[in-house]
């Protein structure tokens, strides 16, 4: 969470460039923001509570010529969103922006207070600022001060530091939080991710953990902890700035929903026809763990279902923040699959590190190229879904499901469980999926119609069986996070064991039935809710169009029938669009829902 950017330039536009970059990082947090800049005489600072537009408004009233700036957009962890708690923080000679959490800030603060330091904010970052200042006062060497401070700090951080007595140079380092260095003719950058700098350059380097960087407008120098210079590869980004624009869509979420047919088709083309899973031999492992958070965990449940049902391989799915409590189950014969869109989620990263410590082999299904998780796994399978800006994931989730499908098909082949006819049918389906997904999107009127029925309700339920029950979890999360409606997802057969008591006259129940073998049972469960007054929205496939749904459904959504290797994708896309239209009717901030941030880099 939180986004940082630093820019030092031969020109005098560092503030406008840093601000433009910061806007592309707003998905990482948006409760306050701030910037520190050198105006040729002194380091000045402007902060604002709320969205970056508030900071922009303040800056627009100033006439600033500045060659160096560091800026921050915040997702509060220590202390409420306020100008005092907003970054940058300034103590003594040090000005700092920080992404991460300083775990031992309380004890450091006590030590520093004893040495005479005073604090204005409630943040851990102000303590880190003071600590760097203290280290600098001891050694009078800027890089050494940063190295020494990092040795005394426990936690995660990406730091951009400006020292008062060298105000056009940025010093940067990172541990467990992302940071990239960008290079341009006019100047150089250090930012939380490449999206912040792509309008200015596509040349970048990744910083290793505990690497230290000195950035001037013309030279970037990398050092290890001993302050020996290191070299770092300069890469060329393949994503371009246009991918970070809405391109005519009302919201990034809508744009990303519309991108799914192509993204999913590309995955099937890439990984089905020419997959490189030859180094994942399922039979070599005693147990398979799949670990992720939120929507990525929901995609993992689809993966587990497919793995068990079709490849006959049992697997355990665990929420990443809970995985350490299953530590006893991790052995050198464990295959851990971690799933992460951002590749930076702290809980997932901690799980992968724990498993590696225990000798497990770790495969990552990751979107963000070059992210920490992608770099630390033994094997990374990229989803290549392109940048996802909306805080609520859409193409991130479906692309993870698509990769799981290809992985499971590969496992089936390895085990001789896929005969030629079946393979040809599935291949034909997956390599021609795009029009089916476009068809789901084309039914916008149906989703709006349903949204109008449900948007004023307080509670809502999703029910389904088998793979549909996992899709319900994702549909429910999508609705909750962007529309703020209370929604719960239940296995259809489980509702009657308690929760059905919450169904009353008019309660909306979105029911999903895509699998022929489970169809009748699910319909029975729907009728149980209908008998108690539910308003039923029924999601099914065109394979069932002979059934008269009116008996139990008030509204129906029909998606194209596919095999279970891809069925979750069209269904969830319909649910994404229902959530989107509902949130819109409720006047919610769809791309930046309250209290959330895109990249959850705190545990
Ligand atoms: C929900 C959502 C989150 C993420 C979760 C994991 O819309 O986006 O639940 O899925 O925070 O994030 P990644 O996949 O980046 O590890």
């Amino acid at each position: 969470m939180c986004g940082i950017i630093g820019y030092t330039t031969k020109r005098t536009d560092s503030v406008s460039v840093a601000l433009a970059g910061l806007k592309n990082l707003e998905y990482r947090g948006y409760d306050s923001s701030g910037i520190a800049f050198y105006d040729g005489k002194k380091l000045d600072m402007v902060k604002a509570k709320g969205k970056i537009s508030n900071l922009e408004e303040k800056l627009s009233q100033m006439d600033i010529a500045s060659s160096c700036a560091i800026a921050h957009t915040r997702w509060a962890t220590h202390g409420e969103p306020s100008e005092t708690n907003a970054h940058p923080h300034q103590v003594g000679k040090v000005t700092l922006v920080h992404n991460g959490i300083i775990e031992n800030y309380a004890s450091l603060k006590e030590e520093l207070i004893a040495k005479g330091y005073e604090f204005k904010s409630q943040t851990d970052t102000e303590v880190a600022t003071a600590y760097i200042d203290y280290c600098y006062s001891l050694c009078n060497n800027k890089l050494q001060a940063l190295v020494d401070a990092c040795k005394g700090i426990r936690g995660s951080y990406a730091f951009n530091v400006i020292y008062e007595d060298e105000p056009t140079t940025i010093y940067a380092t990172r541990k467990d939080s992302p940071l990239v260095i960008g290079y341009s003719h006019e100047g150089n950058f250090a930012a939380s991710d490449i999206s912040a700098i792509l309008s200015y350059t596509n040349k970048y380097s990744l910083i290793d953990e505990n690497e230290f960087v000195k950035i001037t407008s013309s030279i970037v120098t990398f050092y290890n902890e001993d302050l020996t210079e290191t070299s770092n590869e300069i890469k060329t980004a393949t994503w371009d700035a246009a991918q970070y624009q809405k391109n005519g869509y009302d919201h990034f979420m809508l744009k990303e929903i519309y991108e799914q047919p192509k993204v999913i088709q590309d995955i099937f083309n890439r990984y089905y026809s020419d997959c490189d899973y030859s180094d994942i031999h399922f039979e070599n492992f005693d147990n398979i763990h799949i670990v992720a958070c939120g929507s990525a965990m929901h995609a993992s449940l689809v993966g587990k279902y497919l793995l068990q049902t079709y490849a006959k391989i049992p697997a355990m799915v665990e929420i990443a923040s809970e995985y350490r409590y299953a530590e006893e189950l991790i052995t050198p014969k464990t295959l851990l699959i971690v799933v992460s869109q951002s590749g930076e989620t702290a809980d997932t990263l901690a799980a992968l590190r724990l498993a590696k410590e225990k000798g497990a082999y770790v495969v990552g299904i990751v979107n963000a190229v070059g992210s920490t998780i992608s770099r630390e796994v033994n094997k990374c399978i990229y989803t290549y879904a392109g940048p996802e800006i909306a805080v609520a994931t859409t193409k991130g989730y479906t692309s993870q499901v698509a990769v799981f499908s290809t992985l499971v098909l590969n496992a089936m082949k390895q085990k001789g469980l896929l005969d030629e006819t079946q393979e040809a049918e599935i291949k034909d389906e997956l390599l021609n999926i795009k029009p089916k997904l476009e068809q789901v999107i084309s039914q916008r009127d149906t989703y709006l119609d349903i949204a109008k029925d449900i948007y004023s309700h307080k509670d809502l339920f999703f029910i389904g069986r088998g793979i549909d029950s996992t899709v319900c979890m994702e549909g429910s999360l999508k609705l909750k996070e962007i529309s703020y409606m209370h929604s719960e997802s239940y296995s259809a057969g489980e509702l009657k064991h308690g929760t059905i008591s919450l169904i009353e006259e008019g309660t909306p129940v979105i029911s999903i039935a895509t699998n022929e073998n489970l169809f009748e049972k699910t319909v029975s469960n729907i009728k149980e809710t209908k008998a108690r007054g539910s308003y039923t929205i029924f999601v099914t496939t065109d394979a069932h169009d002979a059934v008269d749904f009116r008996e139990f459904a008030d509204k129906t959504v029909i998606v194209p029938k596919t095999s279970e290797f891809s069925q979750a994708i069209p269904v969830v896309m319909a649910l994404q669009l229902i959530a989107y239209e509902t949130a819109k009717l409720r006047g919610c901030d769809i791309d930046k829902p309250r209290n959330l941030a895109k990249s959850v880099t705190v545990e």
Side-chain angles (χ1 to χ4, degrees):
M1 348 280 260
C2 301
I4 66 172
I5 179 166
Y7 180 50
T8 172
T9 171
K10 294 164 196 143
R11 305 197 316 200
T12 53
D13 59 352
S14 74
V15 167
S16 58
V17 171
L19 189 69
L22 199 63
K23 284 193 203 154
N24 281 346
L25 296 174
E26 197 166 23
Y27 71 89
R28 302 178 69 89
Y30 34 84
D31 59 41
S32 54
S33 57
I35 188 162
F37 52 89
Y38 179 61
D39 66 6
K41 293 193 192 100
K42 61 179 184 325
L43 267 175
D44 211 343
M45 209 155 55
V46 179
K47 300 181 186 187
K49 193 177 160 186
K51 301 237 166 94
I52 294 175
S53 52
N54 299 347
L55 178 69
E56 190 175 24
E57 170 66 28
K58 282 191 174 179
L59 289 167
S60 69
Q61 288 157 23
M62 302 167 70
D63 185 19
I64 303 170
S66 161
S67 56
C68 184
I70 53 175
H72 184 272
T73 181
R74 181 167 186 247
W75 185 86
T77 55
H78 296 68
E80 56 174 14
S82 67
E83 282 192 23
T84 313
N85 287 332
H87 303 208
H89 289 281
Q90 224 163 38
V91 180
K93 292 197 161 101
V94 175
T95 303
L96 174 73
V97 290
H98 163 221
N99 165 212
I101 285 199
I102 310 299
E103 288 168 5
N104 59 336
Y105 84 101
S107 56
L108 282 177
K109 193 170 183 173
E110 268 178 37
E111 267 178 52
L112 289 161
I113 288 173
K115 294 184 195 318
Y117 280 91
E118 287 173 8
F119 295 93
K120 299 184 201 113
S121 79
Q122 298 154 290
T123 63
D124 53 341
T125 303
E126 193 184 14
V127 176
T129 316
Y131 192 50
I132 298 169
D133 181 69
Y134 171 67
C135 293
Y136 185 46
S137 72
L138 295 183
C139 68
N140 201 27
N141 175 315
K142 296 177 179 72
L143 275 166
Q144 189 63 54
L146 203 50
V147 172
D148 293 346
C150 289
K151 284 187 180 147
I153 283 172
R154 232 180 29 249
S156 60
Y157 48 81
F159 286 147
N160 275 351
V161 181
I162 299 181
Y163 291 91
E164 186 189 74
D165 48 350
E166 195 183 339
T168 55
T169 301
I170 297 168
Y171 289 86
T173 188
R174 69 173 278 263
K175 180 179 160 284
D176 296 344
S177 288
L179 196 64
V180 297
I181 300 298
Y183 308 87
S184 79
H185 292 303
E186 288 77 31
N188 296 314
F189 298 86
S192 294
D193 87 36
I194 191 86
S195 65
I197 58 176
L198 266 182
S199 300
Y200 305 96
T201 179
N202 62 355
K203 300 285 177 226
Y204 72 101
S205 294
L206 300 169
I207 312 180
D208 284 331
E209 299 267 299
N210 295 319
E211 200 167 23
F212 297 82
V213 197
K214 179 177 176 180
I215 307 159
T216 70
S217 60
S218 50
I219 298 172
V220 175
T221 322
F222 293 86
Y223 301 87
N224 64 17
E225 280 176 307
D226 302 330
L227 295 188
T228 310
E229 273 190 42
T230 54
S231 61
N232 221 318
E233 185 193 346
I234 299 182
K235 298 172 183 272
T236 304
T238 47
W239 294 353
D240 66 49
Q243 289 175 282
Y244 293 87
Q245 308 302 320
K246 284 192 213 145
N247 296 341
Y249 288 92
D250 287 349
H251 297 96
F252 279 110
M253 182 177 178
L254 191 64
K255 174 181 172 233
E256 287 154 12
I257 289 173
Y258 272 69
E259 282 170 356
Q260 290 174 107
K262 178 170 184 322
V263 164
I264 300 304
Q265 189 63 74
D266 287 350
I267 290 174
F268 287 140
N269 292 349
R270 178 191 294 262
Y271 289 121
Y272 195 71
S273 310
D274 178 26
C275 69
D276 176 25
Y277 299 146
S278 48
D279 43 354
I280 308 174
H281 289 286
F282 286 90
E283 75 273 12
N284 290 347
F285 299 99
D286 285 348
N287 47 38
I288 309 219
H289 299 169
I290 311 176
V291 169
C293 307
S295 295
M297 193 276 289
H298 297 158
S300 304
L301 289 172
V302 177
K304 168 195 156 108
Y305 174 91
L306 296 175
L307 208 52
Q308 290 186 177
T309 310
Y310 296 97
K312 313 293 176 207
I313 298 174
M316 171 181 99
V317 172
E318 189 57 274
I319 294 169
S321 54
E322 292 290 318
Y323 188 55
R324 69 185 51 150
Y325 313 121
E327 187 174 355
E328 299 307 318
L329 301 179
I330 311 168
T331 74
K333 296 284 261 178
T334 298
L335 168 64
L336 170 66
I337 303 176
V338 288
V339 187
S340 176
Q341 187 285 126
S342 63
E344 300 293 349
T345 302
D347 290 322
T348 311
L349 188 58
L352 108 76
R353 286 179 178 165
L354 173 70
K356 278 184 86 178
E357 258 169 47
K358 300 222 142 211
Y361 183 77
V362 187
V363 171
I365 298 178
V366 178
N367 187 34
V369 177
S371 55
T372 310
I373 292 178
S374 76
R375 293 161 77 191
E376 293 198 15
V377 291
N378 297 102
K379 176 184 176 71
C380 184
I381 306 171
Y382 282 116
T383 57
Y384 294 115
E388 193 176 62
I389 310 295
V391 165
T393 185
T394 51
K395 62 177 180 172
Y397 166 90
T398 48
S399 61
Q400 290 157 355
V401 169
V403 166
F404 265 121
S405 297
T406 59
L407 197 60
V408 172
L409 285 161
N410 200 263
M412 289 169 70
K413 275 196 222 168
Q414 281 179 14
K415 292 183 75 177
L417 290 171
L418 196 59
D419 67 43
E420 268 180 33
T421 325
Q422 204 187 359
E423 180 171 9
E425 272 173 22
I426 292 171
K427 189 167 181 177
D428 182 55
E429 171 189 305
L430 300 188
L431 298 188
N432 296 290
I433 193 82
K434 196 167 172 231
K436 292 187 176 169
L437 303 183
E438 284 164 346
Q439 190 186 322
V440 177
I441 289 177
S442 71
Q443 304 174 154
R444 285 281 299 278
D445 290 349
T446 310
Y447 310 127
L448 178 59
D449 194 32
I450 290 169
K452 284 180 182 159
D453 291 340
I454 63 175
Y455 84 99
S456 58
H457 283 265
K458 224 168 109 261
D459 304 300
L460 189 139
F461 292 86
F462 284 80
I463 59 170
R465 281 173 178 262
I467 202 169
D468 295 335
S469 75
T470 71
V471 176
C472 283
M473 294 167 87
E474 178 58 10
S476 176
L477 176 61
K478 219 70 331 180
L479 189 74
K480 274 188 276 226
E481 64 184 333
I482 63 166
S483 78
Y484 315 147
M485 274 177 82
H486 170 243
S487 150
E488 288 196 40
S489 146
Y490 263 82
S491 300
E494 182 65 9
L495 204 66
K496 60 183 178 292
H497 295 288
T499 311
I500 201 163
S501 65
L502 294 173
I503 306 286
E504 52 187 48
E505 197 57 40
T507 306
V509 176
I510 299 186
S511 320
I512 308 178
T514 60
N515 180 321
E516 287 70 56
N517 301 327
L518 307 177
F519 192 83
E520 284 180 5
K521 277 201 189 322
T522 308
V523 168
S524 300
N525 298 136
I526 298 170
K527 286 182 179 169
E528 288 157 14
T529 71
K530 195 83 199 120
R532 283 145 186 95
S534 73
Y535 182 83
T536 307
I537 293 132
F538 185 53
V539 184
T540 188
T541 73
D542 50 15
H544 297 116
D545 53 8
V547 181
D548 184 1
F549 305 123
R550 281 169 303 185
E551 198 191 331
F552 56 88
D554 296 285
K555 288 274 161 66
T556 307
V557 176
I558 309 280
V559 300
K561 173 76 192 157
T562 67
S563 73
E564 285 197 313
F565 290 99
S566 58
Q567 191 67 77
I569 298 170
V571 176
V572 98
M573 284 170 62
L575 303 184
Q576 292 165 352
L577 282 160
I578 292 173
Y580 174 81
E581 299 292 1
T582 306
K584 212 166 152 189
L585 289 176
R586 286 168 69 95
C588 299
D589 187 346
I590 292 178
D591 282 338
K592 298 190 192 87
R594 69 182 177 211
N595 303 341
L596 295 179
K598 180 91 186 145
S599 195
V600 187
T601 52
V602 294
E603 280 187 53

